[in-house]
Amino acid sequence: MFIRILSALALFFVLTSSSFAADRKMAIQINSSDPLTQKMALLNARNLKAVIGKDNIDVELVIYGPGLSLITTDKINSSRVEDLIKRYGLKVSVCEGTLKRYAKVHGSEPDIIEGVSRVSTGAIRLLELQEQGYSYMRP
């Protein structure tokens, strides 16, 4: 009897351990240097986290191309991104291809804010996220 109870508890913990990921997920594409478009993307991310609950939704900004300006340390919106990462656990990824292209044109990669992960390409990252059940938004 004890072994059955122990086995049932072990099975329960295995089955529920995968439920720590949020049920709702949103991928937000940012490939524009337009400050208003970037501001809208950040407002959308903040509103999703604030209204639904920071632990109830996973939100990832996928940045590539001209959107790179959102996360360079010398831009106005970069501090907003840093705040969203710290306050709400926002995930932010940037395209390696974009960083390489920038380095080729300017001689080196830009300084980007902390907490940003690098992915091979922005388009592939969006595809991966959608395959994982993320909804897609492009402001």
Side-chain angles (χ1 to χ4, degrees):
M1 181 69 165
F2 177 75
I3 294 194
R4 283 186 187 173
I5 292 172
L6 192 58
S7 296
L9 284 172
L11 180 61
F12 172 77
F13 285 114
V14 167
L15 292 176
T16 59
S17 66
S18 64
S19 67
F20 290 119
D23 291 334
R24 294 177 170 175
K25 305 174 207 173
M26 179 68 73
I28 302 176
Q29 173 184 325
I30 303 173
N31 66 338
S32 172
S33 61
D34 176 58
L36 182 57
T37 300
Q38 292 180 353
K39 183 178 179 181
M40 289 304 300
L42 296 178
L43 284 172
N44 286 320
R46 188 194 66 77
N47 287 343
L48 287 165
K49 286 289 203 174
V51 172
I52 294 173
K54 72 177 189 174
D55 297 326
N56 298 327
I57 185 166
D58 289 333
V59 178
E60 183 168 333
L61 302 180
V62 180
I63 298 170
Y64 62 95
L68 180 62
S69 63
L70 181 61
I71 57 168
T72 55
T73 57
D74 61 341
K75 301 298 182 193
I76 195 165
N77 283 326
S78 63
S79 63
R80 291 179 180 154
V81 177
E82 287 178 312
D83 182 57
L84 290 171
I85 290 170
K86 291 174 187 169
R87 184 182 300 181
Y88 293 105
L90 180 70
K91 297 174 189 170
V92 181
S93 58
V94 64
C95 172
E96 281 282 349
T98 297
L99 293 172
K100 288 178 184 176
R101 175 73 179 146
Y102 184 97
K104 186 176 181 180
V105 171
H106 300 297
S108 65
E109 286 188 3
D111 291 328
I112 59 174
I113 61 174
E114 289 186 41
V116 176
S117 62
R118 295 170 178 239
V119 295
S120 60
T121 69
I124 290 175
R125 182 62 182 159
L126 287 168
L127 176 64
E128 291 170 345
L129 291 172
Q130 289 180 71
E131 288 173 343
Q132 295 171 26
Y134 279 69
S135 296
Y136 167 80
M137 177 186 290
R138 181 175 180 220

